[in-house]
Amino acid sequence: MTESASHPAPARHQVALTALWIGLFGAALTWTLQELIAYAVVSHACYPSWQPYSLPRAAGTRGVTVALVIVLFTLGAAGAATAYRSWIRTRPPREDSLHHQTEVGEGRARFMALGGLLLSGMILFAMIMNVIVLFLIDPCG
């Protein structure tokens, strides 16, 4: 009379939990680091004392900031790639199981991987916008 309940995350063994968390929050962590470190570098170059400078006094401030952004963007893209790999590995084995997953709500691992893909995409876009701003606006202006 009663059916045995299946586990709510049937693909949980396909991907490590660490990979799911890295895929979900890897890009967000790198964007946070980018904001904090770039703010510290630029603000010290423009405001080393009480009076601000009109131009950065530290040579290569823009170059250091761009290099930092490139390194952290690469790490964020690695987090997005981890989310993508996790999403592919947790793919349902049959076409009709996709409808079943939608209706029943199975697939926590796949949901986390998809969330990581979406979040990483938005954050990587924001990181690109931060680089564009470095070339459009004077750092100390």
Side-chain angles (χ1 to χ4, degrees), residues 43-53 57:
S43 65
H44 182 69
C46 294
Y47 296 93
S49 62
W50 289 101
Q51 296 297 321
Y53 295 138
R57 297 294 170 145

Side-chain angles (χ1 to χ4, degrees), residues 9-117:
R12 67 191 180 280
H13 299 296
Q14 302 296 325
V15 139
L17 187 59
T18 307
L20 290 172
W21 287 113
I22 288 172
L24 190 59
F25 292 117
L29 180 63
T30 59
W31 186 37
T32 302
L33 288 173
Q34 176 205 345
E35 290 292 322
L36 292 173
I37 296 171
Y39 180 79
V41 167
V42 172
S43 65
H44 182 69
C46 294
Y47 296 93
S49 62
W50 289 101
Q51 296 297 321
Y53 295 138
S54 60
L55 292 172
R57 297 294 170 145
T61 301
R62 183 172 284 155
V64 168
T65 307
V66 168
L68 170 77
V69 167
I70 289 171
V71 168
L72 291 174
F73 182 84
T74 304
L75 289 174
T82 303
Y84 180 72
R85 270 193 313 274
S86 300
W87 187 67
I88 292 297
R89 285 184 182 166
T90 57
R91 179 181 294 162
R94 300 183 327 258
E95 286 298 321
D96 62 338
S97 66
L98 181 61
H99 181 278
H100 180 71
Q101 280 185 336
T102 306
E103 294 298 317
V104 177
E106 287 184 348
R108 264 187 268 161
R110 187 158 173 87
F111 179 75
M112 282 182 72
L114 181 61
L117 271 174

